[in-house]
Amino acid sequence: LKTLPILIGKRRARNLAVFFSIVFMLIIIFLIRSLFEEESYEFLGLYFLLFTFLPLLFFTYKLWSAKTKKHFHFLSNLMKEKGILVFLEALKCLENKGLSYEAKIAGTMDSALEQEIFSKINNLKNTEYIGVVSGNRKKDLLNWSNVFVLPTFYKMEGLPISILEALASKNVIVTTRHAGIPDIINENEQGYFVEKKSVKSLSDRLEWLSNSLDVVGEIGHRNHVYFRNNFTVNQFKQGLLKILNA
């Protein structure tokens, strides 16, 4: 059984839902106005206002704003080799093109780069450094974002745990073909690879994602399923048992 988003696409389905929500709100406004004109029905009009119109207005706002969510996050040690400077310069390119976005950066900062990093962040309008995060603060960051960026070229890189966390929280992965990353990230499936140390490559990909929010949503949902099927504790146990019994 195919759902409406599958049949006509997520963007059209959302637009259709927003349209019918607005039509329904107009009908409710007309009804409320009519009820307030009759003194005996004022209470009923107030009820429709508080418990029907306002919740529907909030729902419509959330539905519409979800279409324009462009939230990028960087969660790693803030080292040059992890690509933090490349990321900040790519965000500046987006701003220079007039593209809207929000970005949050978290992690331990390399003291040698602290001044340069803060200088670049202060020159960006919508980028925030939120320090070292753990527990609920990390969970909130992962759930807030829909694109995880890690343009790493770190020599000692292995398989960043932050990538697995981003997969679990429905983020698109934007990273490099480096170390063990290509072993779990497939181009166009879990996300996209960019060239190492290339501001243009990263900014071009972020710009494309900003204009392809349907794709962002689809990949994010797929990543959550991909993580659940491959990287949970039970999956690791089953993989280990297969190796031991081989």
Side-chain angles (χ1 to χ4, degrees):
L1 181 63
K2 292 186 176 181
T3 61
L4 189 61
I6 294 175
L7 290 172
I8 67 174
K10 287 187 177 181
R11 171 175 286 182
R12 290 180 179 175
R14 281 196 299 263
N15 287 343
L16 194 62
V18 169
F19 171 76
F20 281 113
S21 295
I22 292 174
V23 170
F24 191 39
M25 281 194 295
L26 291 175
I27 294 173
I28 293 175
I29 289 173
F30 177 78
L31 176 61
I32 291 173
R33 182 179 178 182
S34 299
L35 291 171
F36 274 116
E37 288 177 352
E38 299 290 336
E39 290 186 7
S40 57
Y41 291 107
E42 284 184 353
F43 178 79
L44 188 59
L46 184 62
Y47 177 87
F48 272 104
L49 177 64
L50 294 177
F51 298 104
T52 304
F53 176 76
L54 292 180
L56 184 59
L57 179 63
F58 177 76
F59 166 79
T60 305
Y61 167 76
K62 296 295 288 186
L63 188 63
W64 182 258
S65 61
K67 296 168 57 180
T68 57
K69 179 184 176 185
K70 305 168 188 177
H71 291 173
F72 308 138
H73 88 274
F74 180 102
L75 177 58
S76 183
N77 291 326
L78 274 60
M79 305 163 52
K80 183 177 182 180
E81 294 83 0
K82 290 284 189 175
I84 180 59
L85 298 180
V86 174
F87 180 43
L88 294 175
E89 290 171 15
L91 293 177
K92 189 62 178 177
C93 289
L94 297 185
E95 286 195 2
N96 290 339
K97 293 180 179 180
L99 296 173
S100 63
Y101 73 89
E102 289 183 57
K104 293 185 179 181
I105 296 168
T108 303
M109 190 175 299
D110 183 347
S111 58
L113 292 177
E114 185 173 339
Q115 185 174 351
E116 184 175 5
I117 290 173
F118 277 123
S119 176
K120 290 182 180 297
I121 290 176
N122 291 335
N123 285 326
L124 295 168
K125 297 177 181 178
N126 301 301
T127 301
E128 177 185 7
Y129 174 61
I130 60 175
V132 178
V133 296
S134 61
N136 288 333
R137 288 190 67 215
K138 179 188 283 189
K139 184 178 179 180
D140 290 342
L141 172 64
L142 291 166
N143 290 332
W144 169 86
S145 173
N146 56 359
V147 178
F148 170 68
V149 183
L150 185 67
T152 179
F153 50 95
Y154 181 46
K155 290 181 180 180
M156 302 298 291
E157 194 73 84
L159 177 58
I161 297 298
S162 55
I163 287 184
L164 297 179
E165 293 172 332
L167 289 171
S169 52
K170 301 182 180 181
N171 276 256
V172 175
I173 310 300
V174 178
T175 186
T176 53
R177 294 184 185 275
H178 187 65
I181 296 173
D183 293 335
I184 64 167
I185 300 299
N186 300 296
E187 182 82 12
N188 299 316
E189 290 292 325
Q190 284 73 52
Y192 302 93
F193 293 113
V194 296
E195 297 175 20
K196 297 177 185 179
K197 306 180 184 180
S198 174
V199 174
K200 184 179 186 307
S201 178
L202 180 56
S203 64
D204 285 350
R205 177 53 65 187
L206 295 180
E207 179 179 355
W208 184 85
L209 287 171
S210 295
N211 295 317
S212 307
L213 294 178
D214 280 353
V215 175
V216 171
E218 290 167 7
I219 293 179
H221 176 73
R222 187 161 62 234
N223 282 350
H224 180 68
V225 175
Y226 175 64
F227 174 84
R228 193 173 56 199
N229 291 340
N230 293 279
F231 302 109
T232 60
V233 173
N234 287 334
Q235 292 300 324
F236 278 117
K237 286 182 179 179
Q238 292 175 15
L240 183 59
L241 288 173
K242 287 181 181 179
I243 293 173
L244 294 174
N245 295 328

